[in-house]
Amino acid sequence: MSQRLQIGIAGAGVLGRLAAWALAEAGHHVTVFDPADGPAPRQDGRGAAGYTAAGMLSPLAELDNASAEVALLGWQSIAIWSRVAERLTAAHAGSEPAPLLFRQLGSLMVAHGSDLGAAERVLARLRGATDLHAAMPQAQALDRPALRELEPALDPQLRAWLLPGEGQILPAPMLSALAASARGVDWRWGCSADEVAPGRITLADGTWHDCDQALDLRGLGARPALPLRGVRGEVVWLHAPGVALQRPVRLLHPRHRVYIVPRPGDLFVVGASEIESEDRSPVSLRSAVELMAAAHSVISGLAEARIVHLETNLRPALPDNEPRIEAEPGLLRINGLFRHGWLLAPALLRDGLRRAGLVNALENGAP
Ligand SMILES: Cc1cc2nc3c(=O)[nH]c(=O)nc-3n(C[C@H](O)[C@H](O)[C@H](O)COP(=O)(O)OP(=O)(O)OC[C@H]3O[C@@H](n4cnc5c(N)ncnc54)[C@H](O)[C@@H]3O)c2cc1C
């Protein structure tokens, strides 16, 4: 490393923890401020949006509602996550086996025969993104035997497409592993940053922290520095022993965007609503019914699943719904990751840290 810098980070969500890990790995001295009580996962929807996320890494499927640039960044991010997960797993200490952090088995898009119009619209969008064809694989239509072979739990009548190379993150284990493995990072829990300026983070108690480089990675907490809004998302957790699903499944439906994501321990996350509201109150009956009915319509074996948890959180979004990197000497802000934060964080951070001239562990082969 050329220079050991003092880095101050406001926010210990997806971006904040990944940045802390990547910069500490490269030998910088990193201090992180976050109002949360500590690094443990929160399931009350009041902490980082990253905890509530399903963890889908779906650059192709997200083309339905995102730009080609977002898809390309997402594709690059999957390769970076794979390397990060490998390093975190290798560094895992303790008597328990390392938890699963990342999986890349592709994902499935499925549609009921009656909804083929909705499916065709999404597939046309994928086919139309010709700029991406050289960089990313294409959706592959599956016939019934191929679908049965890949995911026997799915209704065999479904029309299905495999999106090769897509993956998933296990959000809580990944956030924990990043915090636990970030070498020598000074975590200041219970500390809210009121202002992040070049070389200075000012805390809610009026004290401040001077540093060579300040990173503003506070998600929705970065208001009013950025014109952010929260977009409500709701998920349902199901426990269904005996239902085997290897990869995330997205149902193409005219009215809902619903996906089912398998988690270890026979758990499934079904998500997610997208509502223009900053209401963090519990999941509504309408959302719960729609999400679960859609999930049950593709996996009938979920009928006896137990509903173990419902959660609401807010996605941090900018007016154009696109992510933004703002860099000036001594200050880097990244925000607006909206519905793709896990998908985009590594590539956006890599680009942002590059612009700030910071050596870090997200570059190929670095540090
Ligand atoms: C229901 C739902 C499902 C989702 N599913 C997916 C998915 O499948 N795939 C995907 O890629 N993305 C998904 N997302 C989006 C993803 O979770 C977000 O885009 C991502 O978490 C944004 O990362 P972030 O680090 O910017 O913000 P966050 O993860 O929200 O972290 C922000 C951090 O900043 C801290 N903070 C706030 N205010 C302050 C302050 N004043 N001072 C210091 N720290 C502060 C917070 O405590 C938090 O720890 C989903 C989101 C939701 C809500």
Side-chain angles (χ1 to χ4, degrees), residues 37-59:
D37 294 342
R42 290 182 73 144
Q43 289 201 331
D44 60 1
R46 302 267 151 190
Y51 279 126
T52 310
M56 304 258 294
L57 303 177
S58 301

Side-chain angles (χ1 to χ4, degrees), residues 12-36:
V14 179
L15 283 169
R17 292 188 196 209
L18 185 58
W21 175 82
L23 291 162
E25 282 286 297
H28 298 293
H29 189 292
V30 181
T31 309
V32 184
F33 302 90
D34 194 291

Side-chain angles (χ1 to χ4, degrees), residues 177-261:
L178 286 168
S181 310
R183 282 188 259 174
V185 172
D186 184 1
W187 299 95
R188 306 273 182 92
W189 300 109
C191 288
S192 185
D194 268 4
E195 197 186 339
V196 187
R200 174 166 292 189
I201 296 179
T202 304
L203 303 174
D205 65 5
T207 61
W208 60 87
H209 174 80
D210 285 333
C211 50
D212 298 309
Q213 179 79 37
L215 269 60
D216 184 357
L217 307 174
R218 291 175 289 170
L220 206 51
R223 288 187 287 200
L226 290 168
L228 290 153
R229 72 183 198 287
V231 179
R232 177 177 162 100
E234 300 155 296
V235 296
V236 178
W237 287 56
L238 301 176
H239 183 232
V243 176
L245 191 69
Q246 303 304 318
R247 44 185 72 69
V249 173
R250 183 181 300 248
L251 176 64
L252 302 175
H253 185 278
R255 278 187 301 131
H256 320 298
R257 290 172 181 157
V258 180
Y259 45 75
I260 308 163
V261 179

